[in-house]
Amino acid sequence: MANLEKSSILSLPPPPPPPPMESAIFTFTSPKLQIQCPVTEFINKEDMENEIREKISKELDENRDNNVTSIVFMTPIQPILQNGPMCGLVALEMAAQLYSPSKPSLNFIFETAKIQNFTKSGEMFCIQEMKNLAQITLNCEAQILNTEFVETFENVLMCILNGDLILVPYDADYNNTPALRHGHAAHWSLLIGCAVSLPHGHALISQLTNFPQNSLNGEHKMIFCDPKTLNDENRKEILKFLISMSPSQILVCGRQGKSKKIGLWTYQSLIDSNQNLREIGRKIKEKLEEFILHPLERTLRSQLILLGRNVH
């Protein structure tokens, strides 16, 4: 197992929870755009948990496997909906809830990206530019990892257990789930947590006795864990177990700008989609004057960004 201290990003203590955000509309103007990106109504932590509870329960019912305890590690983040090709910028604005006390507006993020020549219309097709933009606008640390490396699985889980967030580009299907469309529907997600279902009495459950268990559908139980409440020993033991599982057994919780709902996908399906980003779709290529384009094979494929608190 990798050393927990190998990255300054991963070893930082989790930050305090962000204050509630009020509903707002961010409006900005570019030479060809007038875009409004609404913050949805504030969703409290209990409603987020209920949403995930329903999704997991439905999946278990379909698989006829209710005799388990589902454990969810999640940092609550409010959704923000995009308008136009702003998925990457909106993902950054959502991440700002955790990393930036000043809560930079979408207008500020967009204008900064234009000044840096990263974008024209809000598109972000380069992982290095996305990393740089995160560091500039959120004043956070950011690290690019290759998803083809085995240790990236561990680093992603470590990041989640530390209460940090991960930016992952992927191919979105029509319902925004990960798909394999060769990059023609490239989209940005923000990972805010993970979940796993285990047989009752499993050793990992004994590590979480301080967290309340809710019984659902008879035998199905759930535990919700805010990562910032874990101590270092908890994190080490939980991480040790999670990385022993298959990536197809771990669910990740993701926000993205086309829905206020939390996405719940297997880690494997998200990474398969990420590694499938090979070319930009025809409709985008037909509007060369409106976008800054890059070869996805080199600039997005098989890459993600770990975010972390800036201690400097």
Side-chain angles (χ1 to χ4, degrees):
M1 186 180 71
N3 189 334
L4 285 172
E5 300 297 325
K6 65 183 175 183
S7 166
S8 61
I9 293 178
L10 301 180
S11 62
L12 295 172
M21 295 195 320
E22 297 180 356
S23 178
I25 297 284
F26 297 104
T27 304
F28 58 88
T29 303
S30 75
K32 292 189 177 183
L33 298 176
Q34 278 197 331
I35 298 177
Q36 292 183 323
C37 291
V39 177
T40 63
E41 293 183 7
F42 179 79
I43 302 174
N44 62 42
K45 182 179 178 182
E46 290 73 21
D47 287 340
M48 291 187 200
E49 292 178 355
N50 287 335
E51 180 185 343
I52 292 178
R53 184 179 291 113
E54 290 175 4
K55 288 177 182 286
I56 293 179
S57 295
K58 181 179 179 181
E59 181 175 323
L60 292 173
D61 285 343
E62 291 174 353
N63 295 330
R64 299 182 179 180
D65 186 15
N66 286 321
N67 194 25
V68 296
T69 298
S70 298
I71 307 170
V72 181
F73 304 95
M74 184 181 70
T75 298
I77 294 291
Q78 294 296 314
I80 300 175
L81 300 181
Q82 70 186 77
N83 190 345
M86 313 293 292
C87 56
L89 306 188
V90 164
L92 288 177
E93 191 186 15
M94 286 191 278
Q97 297 170 38
L98 189 63
Y99 296 113
S100 181
S102 63
K103 302 294 186 296
S105 68
L106 186 63
N107 184 26
F108 173 77
I109 297 172
F110 177 60
E111 293 300 332
T112 301
K114 287 198 300 180
I115 290 170
Q116 297 293 326
N117 201 32
F118 294 161
T119 190
K120 288 183 180 179
S121 302
E123 76 290 345
M124 293 294 294
F125 288 120
C126 176
I127 197 98
Q128 183 64 51
E129 293 176 355
M130 188 70 161
K131 172 195 170 184
N132 293 346
L133 188 60
Q135 292 173 315
I136 294 169
T137 59
L138 307 187
N139 191 31
C140 69
E141 298 215 20
Q143 179 182 1
I144 297 173
L145 294 184
N146 188 317
T147 61
E148 295 181 4
F149 294 167
V150 174
E151 58 266 27
T152 296
F153 179 49
E154 176 178 352
N155 279 277
V156 166
L157 294 173
M158 189 187 306
C159 193
I160 289 171
L161 293 177
N162 279 343
D164 281 308
L165 310 175
I166 304 103
L167 291 161
V168 185
Y170 74 106
D171 239 353
D173 211 339
Y174 299 104
N175 59 357
N176 304 312
T177 59
L180 303 176
R181 302 175 68 183
H182 308 292
H184 293 193
H187 192 43
W188 281 97
S189 64
L190 180 70
L191 299 190
I192 64 174
C194 68
V196 62
S197 295
L198 304 170
H200 298 319
H202 191 280
L204 179 60
I205 299 171
S206 65
Q207 298 284 330
L208 303 170
T209 54
N210 292 333
F211 298 91
Q213 295 188 23
N214 303 113
S215 295
L216 304 166
N217 298 339
E219 295 299 323
H220 183 209
K221 297 180 180 180
M222 293 204 66
I223 299 174
F224 284 93
C225 175
D226 190 333
K228 73 176 183 293
T229 64
L230 296 171
N231 59 43
D232 289 342
E233 189 61 33
N234 284 149
R235 288 191 182 94
K236 289 178 182 179
E237 292 302 315
I238 294 168
L239 179 64
K240 183 178 179 180
F241 169 74
L242 291 180
I243 62 175
S244 71
M245 300 185 71
S246 164
S248 62
Q249 294 176 295
I250 302 288
L251 297 174
V252 289
C253 309
R255 288 278 187 208
Q256 50 81 33
K258 292 185 178 180
S259 173
K260 67 179 182 179
K261 299 294 185 181
I262 297 173
L264 202 62
W265 319 306
T266 68
Y267 177 84
Q268 188 64 62
S269 68
L270 180 62
I271 296 308
D272 287 345
S273 182
N274 168 264
Q275 294 176 357
N276 164 79
L277 298 173
R278 297 184 180 277
E279 61 183 24
I280 291 172
R282 178 179 54 82
K283 291 183 179 180
I284 298 292
K285 289 181 179 179
E286 290 174 350
K287 301 178 181 179
L288 292 176
E289 73 284 355
E290 296 182 22
F291 303 109
I292 296 177
L293 305 182
H294 297 274
L296 301 191
E297 182 82 26
R298 297 203 310 268
T299 63
L300 282 186
R301 180 178 175 268
S302 298
Q303 299 176 87
L304 55 74
I305 303 172
L306 302 183
L307 299 177
R309 292 294 293 268
N310 192 338
V311 296
H312 301 296

